[in-house]
Amino acid sequence: METKVWRVDPKSPDPKAISEAAEIIRKGGLVAFPTETVYGLGANALDETAVRKIFTAKERPAWDPLIVHICDLTMLDWIVEDVPEKFSELASRFMPGPLTVVMRKKPIVPDAVTAGLPTVAVRMPNHPVALALIEAAGVPIAAPSANRFGRPSPTTAEHVLHDLAGRIDGILDAGPTQVGVESTVIDLTKTPPVILRPGGVSKERLEEILGEVLVLSALPSNVEAGLPSPGMMPRHYAPSVPVILANGSASDLAKVVERLREQGYTPNQIGVMMPEGWLVDEKGLVLFRWGKWGNWEEMAQRLFEGLRWLERQGVSVIVAPLPPPIGLGLAIRDRLTKAASTNSATNCQGNPR
Ligand code: TXA
Ligand code: MG
């Protein structure tokens, strides 16, 4: 199929483009659209056949459930049973925003969306184009990130087209996304609530409202036996070349680069996610200027862009320093650790697979 591209203004999208895209959603098609985090690949969340097309286009396994996107809180009542007490304060702070809340679902939500779970993940994206699309479609929109399964998430329309052109009906292109990492997924069916995936809203900000919050980090040894959040597999977000992690300092980064050189990599085969102002002998290395170390918002916004850019330069390996687990640093750590994972064992610092 041919993938139609509508270029739209991110702040006030052309209503004609929105209504064309919404019509495709209503008829059971797939439309990629921008959110404040990453681009999503949307289908009518209440149409099982349409939802299944998402899994085919992305080559995503059916056991990995989707987030349902809503444009106002009235839509919540269609899909969620027993809205938890803590929800309303979270919603007043972070909806719209980069937060996804897992709650008990109503039967109207097809099993294809939730992978058969009794819960549904709900989010109200903070992007005028996404909100306009959901409103015009008049239905909640199920949408995972608009990448091929396992690849770095898309923060531009070009990323989406690279992975999915010819497989989806259309894309609303509103330029690069702001947050750059996906929403935080929090499970409110548990006490205390559990962060299933760190993301655009930090743990610290959630704790201001919820008190104690747990972070899911330890993965069960047998992945197939059931993950608390099915999308939490070890290897994910990965470019097509190995990612090597360094500790978060210029000297550790330099050591890892040096080791790779000793192992026979030429400088132009080594891609580096390089923080601004770090003194590393840069000669001949392929550098992505990542942003100021400590400005986790900026580094989160440029993370997937950097991984995809370095991959396009044809490097054989990508080295990235790991931020501390503070603010959005936690989400960056999570994505990089998964991008570097070999699935079988944790990546040893500085040792290529
Ligand atoms: O920022 C975002 O969240 C983006 C934009 C497009 O909204 N979406 C996104 O979707 O990242 P996706 O499918 O790539 O990741 C959704 C995550 C997965 O890890 C999935 O396992 C988890 O949410 N999830 C969805 N429904 C769940 C449920 N009922 N219980 C537990 N985890 C769930
Ligand atoms: Mg994803």
Side-chain angles (χ1 to χ4, degrees), residues 58 145 147 153 236:
K58 278 190 57 125
S145 48
N147 50 303
S153 291
H236 214 77

Side-chain angles (χ1 to χ4, degrees), residues 33 35-41 58 60 63-67 69 98 100 102-103 113-114 117-121 123 125 143-147 153 181-185 187 196-197 228-232 236-237:
F33 60 96
T35 76
E36 79 279 36
T37 57
V38 302
Y39 274 75
L41 177 59
K58 278 190 57 125
R60 176 175 173 121
W63 47 256
D64 195 3
L66 307 178
I67 294 172
H69 296 69
T100 295
V102 172
M103 295 174 280
V113 171
T114 63
L117 294 171
T119 52
V120 60
R123 136 163 161 83
S145 48
N147 50 303
S153 291
V181 290
E182 302 86 340
S183 61
T184 300
V185 180
D187 186 347
L196 301 176
R197 177 181 72 184
S229 182
M232 308 296 284
H236 214 77
Y237 311 112

Side-chain angles (χ1 to χ4, degrees), residues 60-185:
R60 176 175 173 121
W63 47 256
D64 195 3
L66 307 178
I67 294 172
V68 177
H69 296 69
I70 58 175
C71 62
D72 57 46
L73 290 177
T74 57
M75 272 187 180
L76 191 73
D77 291 329
W78 305 6
I79 55 177
V80 174
E81 191 88 65
D82 306 330
V83 177
E85 222 176 276
K86 287 171 174 160
F87 176 82
S88 65
E89 212 178 327
L90 272 187
S92 66
R93 275 281 284 280
F94 301 117
M95 291 200 174
L99 182 71
T100 295
V101 182
V102 172
M103 295 174 280
R104 272 166 46 93
K105 80 172 187 95
K106 282 192 171 153
I108 190 178
V109 183
D111 279 343
V113 171
T114 63
L117 294 171
T119 52
V120 60
V122 185
R123 136 163 161 83
M124 194 192 295
N126 189 15
H127 195 297
V129 175
L131 293 171
L133 178 67
I134 302 164
E135 180 158 20
V139 289
I141 293 184
S145 48
N147 50 303
R148 291 253 193 127
F149 185 69
R151 302 250 314 132
S153 291
T155 58
T156 65
E158 289 72 37
H159 297 162
V160 177
L161 290 169
H162 177 273
D163 282 15
L164 299 175
R167 294 171 168 235
I168 62 178
D169 296 292
I171 174 166
L172 289 157
D173 175 0
T177 61
Q178 287 305 305
V179 179
V181 290
E182 302 86 340
S183 61
T184 300
V185 180

Side-chain angles (χ1 to χ4, degrees), residues 1-15:
M1 74 175 68
E2 202 187 319
T3 300
K4 171 144 197 187
V5 179
W6 300 274
R7 293 223 161 68
V8 292
D9 183 321
K11 295 218 172 76
S12 73
D14 175 15

